[in-house]
Amino acid sequence: NNRLQIKLGDSEVDYDKNFLFYMTTKMPNPHYFPEVCIKVTVINFTVTLFGLEDQLVADVVKNERPDLAELRANLVVQIAADKAEMDR
């Protein structure tokens, strides 16, 4: 069987490379299994005042104090790694 197929529910269906599938949700912060996240692109269109403030502050810090922006980025990566280690 040289056909490309994907599994939808209990069935396997033919896959076409031109096929695009879009999903939407009303959930404010949906969580997906890691197996799903590595195979799809998740776009969050939720805009909040806090989120915009955070982005603005990050841009200002990146321009005014790139050393602090780099330190913050490293801390975010380290915190994520520590959380992953704790979950094991």
Side-chain angles (χ1 to χ4, degrees), residues 64-80:
E64 299 290 326
R65 293 285 307 271
D67 58 318
L68 288 179
E70 183 178 353
L71 178 62
R72 180 186 180 278
N74 292 337
L75 286 172
V76 168
V77 170
Q78 185 61 49
I79 289 169

Side-chain angles (χ1 to χ4, degrees), residues 7-63:
K7 186 167 184 156
L8 289 176
D10 295 336
S11 305
E12 289 188 2
V13 295
D14 289 335
Y15 174 77
D16 184 339
K17 292 181 182 180
N18 296 316
F19 177 76
L20 298 175
F21 183 71
Y22 296 92
M23 285 182 15
T24 62
T25 180
K26 292 183 180 183
M27 295 170 54
N29 192 16
H31 294 281
Y32 301 102
F33 291 112
E35 303 85 39
V36 173
C37 290
I38 61 172
K39 296 178 184 177
V40 301
T41 301
V42 177
I43 302 173
N44 185 350
F45 289 104
T46 304
V47 177
T48 64
L49 184 57
F50 177 75
L52 292 173
E53 287 175 354
D54 193 39
Q55 289 178 24
L56 180 59
V57 169
D59 285 345
V60 170
V61 170
K62 186 167 57 171
N63 288 326

